[in-house]
Amino acid sequence: MSAIDRRPPVPRYAHGSRVPGWDEAVDLEKAPATVPDPALTPVPQQLREAIEAEMAKYPDRRSASIPALHIAQRHHGWCSPEAITQVACVMRLTPAYLTSVASFYDMFYLQPKAAHEVYVCTNITCSLLGADELYERMCQAAEGHDITVRGFECLGACDIAPMASVDGEYVGPLNLDDPALIVEDVEAGRPVLEHKQLRRRAVADAKGRVENFDGLAPVGQEGN
Ligand code: FES
């Protein structure tokens, strides 16, 4: 008997695979997914135009799946079955295709979510500068408010660590007083911690001109 023959058999699940597989087995009897019929799928005009504008940027329309899902999520508040069906209708894809994309990425919500999202970065640079305590404070400050707080891996703004993304607005460096201020700003509908927004930080170009990432004057120099 060879060494290979003496190895214990590889354990297998009932369906014959070595991996547990999907939580719900695929229904092989089910009719194949179809692209939604435009005549039966009303899509808000604004949503349609925004998705079509994204599709126009790519040679393969499927490349626009992620931006199109973001647009639908903003419109509906989450990637509801209705939202996904509407995107599928405009993009001429099956809802199953788009669901597979949406379920892969963390920032798409397949369940209803809070009105506001705060992602506190707890990755290495931020955690070395106190992100864990900041995260706890943020959770406490958001209690009872329509705000989801999540710890997140590096958000790519280590230079303003410890930082957070508040409804997509990057703010930092944060201190332990900032979570309460973030909640106040969000609840009041104000720009969040305006003086700590990444896009309001001054940057200098090769000619020494100073402006913000979005072309605005740096905070405190608006009148110059
Ligand atoms: S580690 Fe927090 S932004 Fe990179």
Side-chain angles (χ1 to χ4, degrees):
M1 188 183 277
S2 72
I4 289 175
D5 292 332
R6 282 199 300 276
R7 285 193 312 195
V10 176
R12 290 184 183 274
Y13 288 85
H15 55 285
S17 171
R18 286 174 292 168
V19 292
W22 303 107
D23 293 339
E24 287 173 34
V26 174
D27 180 358
L28 297 175
E29 304 298 315
K30 202 170 155 188
T34 54
V35 175
D37 181 348
L40 304 173
T41 313
V43 181
Q45 187 59 21
Q46 198 188 359
L47 184 61
R48 174 185 296 284
E49 285 172 6
I51 294 170
E52 285 173 348
E54 290 300 327
M55 288 163 62
K57 294 179 185 171
Y58 304 96
D60 183 334
R61 66 186 187 287
R62 286 174 299 183
S63 303
S65 298
I66 289 177
L69 286 166
H70 273 301
I71 291 166
Q73 179 162 278
R74 268 200 301 278
H75 185 91
H76 288 275
W78 60 295
C79 283
S80 62
E82 182 190 12
I84 287 187
T85 303
Q86 290 176 349
V87 177
C89 181
V90 177
M91 295 189 72
R92 309 312 298 143
L93 297 170
T94 63
Y97 178 88
L98 291 167
T99 302
S100 72
V101 175
S103 60
F104 184 81
Y105 293 101
D106 240 8
M107 288 176 170
F108 290 123
Y109 292 83
L110 294 169
Q111 302 291 331
K113 67 177 184 67
H116 303 281
E117 297 156 332
V118 179
Y119 299 151
V120 179
C121 176
T122 51
N123 209 287
I124 185 68
T125 312
C126 290
S127 67
L128 287 172
L129 292 166
D132 290 342
E133 203 178 347
L134 190 65
Y135 172 73
E136 291 303 325
R137 283 284 184 98
M138 193 66 240
C139 291
Q140 288 163 8
E143 236 166 70
H145 298 272
D146 196 6
I147 300 173
T148 297
V149 180
R150 291 167 61 187
F152 225 76
E153 296 307 307
C154 180
L155 283 161
C158 309
D159 54 327
I160 59 165
M163 57 80 62
S165 161
V166 182
D167 290 334
E169 190 75 68
Y170 277 24
V171 286
L174 301 176
N175 60 47
L176 294 177
D177 295 328
D178 286 330
L181 301 176
I182 289 173
V183 172
E184 276 178 27
D185 285 343
V186 165
E187 289 290 310
R190 290 191 294 259
V192 176
L193 296 184
E194 206 168 2
H195 62 296
K196 292 195 175 185
Q197 290 181 1
L198 175 63
R199 68 196 173 105
R200 305 264 303 161
R201 286 168 78 86
V203 290
D205 67 13
K207 292 187 179 148
R209 291 178 301 217
V210 177
E211 61 176 23
N212 287 78
F213 284 121
D214 55 8
L216 299 170
V219 174
Q221 299 177 31
E222 287 89 346
N224 299 345

